Amino acid sequence: MTVRASDRARYDRATAHLDAPLAIVDLDAFDANADDLVRRAGGKPVRVASKSVRCRALLERVLAREGFAGVMSFTLAESLWLARSGCDDVLLAYPSADRAGYAELAADPKPAAAVTVMIDDPAQLDLIDSARAGGGEVVRVCLELDTSLRLFGGRVRVGARRSPLHSPAEVAEVARAVARRPGFRVVGLMAYEGHVAGVGDAVAGRPLRSRAVRLMQAAARRELAERRAAVVRAVREVVPDLEFVNGGGTGSVQHTAGEDAVTEVAAGSGLYVPRLFDNYTSFTGRPAALFALPVVRRPGVGAVTVLGGGYPASGAPGADRLPVPYLPEGLRYDPQEGAGEVQTPLLGSPADDLLIGDRVWFRHAKAGELCERFDALHLVEGDTVTDTVPTYRGEGMTFL
């Protein structure tokens, strides 16, 4: 029996008492992935990206492990909720326009001490000030650096369009603008190199593209390491007591952690290891988060239909954004239908061994987005469900 066949048998036994659709997290795989992130971080703390987990119980589980410290959140409302739930170190990774949230933050010492907000433009300070509603708490601020690789005099850009702050001088000028502004304090700097951390460099069947990606990423890492160090020096001239410099992501943990200027790395997807992380040479993880859909039809030889399945991931639309049928091995989508809103036909010889009510196990393309489809995660150890915990959605918290 192959490892995957053994896993399928375990998951089927563990969840036999439950009705599908359902989602699980294999805790042995989850913990092994957490250990691997810590190993790759080389002694620097790993800040957990909550958008890639979206389950408080699992955030708490990983934060209790040595080597992890703090949460990287994705909305201000989520940040405040986590702070009120006991998390004392929350870095909001994206600028916000949540005026009610800023009023709450500025009025309460507890979240104000726990939450750090992201800015890359002094206009964002104006918005926060206009939302204070009399709240006088100092707002902790992190500055975001644009990590994109710019070639041929800026005519070619590789990387996400995030911060407008690219040079040391630009970041330092915004740091000075914050320092001059009562009610704010710069405490951190963040730079997320998504074109390195979030792009696979070993795509099956595409050797030339994969080699080009590896060459690009090597050049991007060299350029960013030099520029990030210069930015940190420039910002420390304005803010000598800078608390942290955050960088990286699951796909670049060991590279980013190796930079002297970086004090902590961020990661989250590497805990669940969704399908997009199958195409990396920098690490190998164990799939930990899966969902099961029940077979409800057998429309013909070599075909079954499962209930649900249309759970595409965010990003540029494409086949790589769809969940992948994982167990049993050998199933594929019908190219005429793909993953359906209510039902999904699957093709392949394993379909002939599936009966009505049997399960097909899928892996989502991305990590935390799976949790927007399910209220609960069933935690599996061996061949037993040892606990069932709510996702953000299950707690009534759908932040985006």
Side-chain angles (χ1 to χ4, degrees):
M1 181 181 291
T2 67
V3 173
R4 281 173 61 172
S6 175
D7 284 343
R8 180 193 175 200
R10 287 196 301 113
Y11 300 151
D12 282 348
R13 286 196 300 271
T15 62
H17 62 294
L18 301 170
D19 286 329
L22 58 86
I24 67 166
V25 170
D26 183 330
L27 289 181
D28 292 336
F30 182 90
D31 290 344
N33 293 335
D35 288 341
D36 187 61
L37 287 171
V38 171
R39 177 190 62 79
R40 290 198 287 136
K44 290 187 177 176
V46 179
R47 185 180 291 272
V48 186
S50 64
K51 78 177 183 65
S52 300
V53 179
R54 303 193 201 201
C55 171
R56 274 202 303 166
L58 290 176
L59 286 173
E60 291 167 359
R61 181 184 183 92
V62 74
L63 287 171
R65 302 177 71 86
E66 186 175 351
F68 290 87
V71 170
M72 177 177 283
S73 59
F74 60 99
T75 74
L76 181 55
E78 180 210 14
S79 305
L80 295 168
W81 179 63
L82 290 173
R84 294 198 183 285
S85 300
C87 186
D88 61 4
D89 182 5
V90 183
L91 170 61
L92 175 57
Y94 307 87
S96 176
D98 180 355
R99 295 177 184 275
Y102 282 130
E104 182 179 344
L105 181 69
D108 191 328
K110 181 177 179 180
V115 175
T116 301
V117 303
M118 191 67 61
I119 75 156
D120 54 35
D121 187 327
Q124 292 153 349
L125 303 178
D126 296 335
L127 187 147
I128 297 171
D129 268 339
S130 71
R132 282 181 179 270
E137 295 297 325
V138 172
V139 174
R140 293 167 54 86
V141 168
C142 180
L143 308 179
E144 181 168 4
L145 168 68
D146 169 42
T147 65
S148 65
L149 176 64
R150 298 183 181 181
L151 305 170
F152 306 108
R155 292 189 297 276
V156 175
R157 173 194 177 110
V158 181
R161 296 184 181 275
R162 292 175 63 115
S163 171
L165 307 177
H166 191 78
S167 70
E170 290 170 335
V171 184
E173 179 54 35
V174 176
R176 282 189 286 271
V178 178
R180 292 192 295 264
R181 193 93 169 226
F184 297 92
R185 181 163 65 94
V186 174
V187 298
L189 178 71
M190 188 190 90
Y192 171 58
E193 53 270 38
H195 50 303
V196 178
V199 177
D201 63 348
V203 182
R206 305 188 69 179
L208 294 179
R209 183 185 185 278
S210 297
R211 177 168 172 74
V213 169
R214 288 194 291 273
L215 291 172
M216 175 277 291
Q217 290 179 337
R221 287 197 301 267
R222 289 192 298 269
E223 185 276 337
L224 180 59
E226 294 178 5
R227 182 160 52 90
R228 179 155 39 201
V231 168
V232 172
R233 288 193 297 270
V235 171
R236 287 194 185 278
E237 289 181 3
V238 182
V239 188
D241 57 346
L242 197 67
E243 294 178 13
F244 65 86
V245 177
N246 179 280
T250 289
S252 70
V253 165
Q254 65 270 40
H255 301 297
T256 307
E259 296 180 31
D260 291 340
V262 173
T263 66
E264 63 176 40
V265 291
S269 296
L271 296 167
Y272 287 170
V273 186
R275 65 166 293 196
L276 283 179
F277 285 94
D278 289 346
N279 302 321
Y280 283 73
T281 58
S282 61
F283 79 104
T284 301
R286 292 172 55 183
L290 301 94
F291 65 93
L293 302 179
V295 173
V296 291
R297 287 178 170 165
R298 290 169 50 88
V301 175
V304 292
T305 301
V306 295
L307 185 69
Y311 308 156
S314 59
D320 65 340
R321 299 290 140 170
L322 295 178
V324 61
Y326 184 60
L327 303 170
E329 298 181 62
L331 293 172
R332 65 186 186 279
Y333 290 116
D334 182 335
Q336 300 297 317
E337 298 194 48
E341 177 186 8
V342 177
Q343 65 173 29
T344 297
L346 299 170
L347 308 178
S349 58
D352 295 328
D353 296 323
L354 292 170
L355 305 176
I356 300 296
D358 284 351
R359 286 158 187 187
V360 175
W361 293 89
F362 291 75
R363 292 170 64 201
H364 203 278
K366 297 183 76 173
E369 292 181 23
L370 164 67
C371 295
E372 297 299 336
R373 297 287 182 170
F374 293 91
D375 291 340
L377 296 173
H378 302 287
L379 307 184
V380 173
E381 296 183 73
D383 61 358
T384 304
V385 170
T386 56
D387 200 0
T388 297
V389 295
T391 60
Y392 278 13
R393 169 177 161 164
E395 295 199 69
M397 298 296 179
T398 304
F399 295 107
L400 277 179

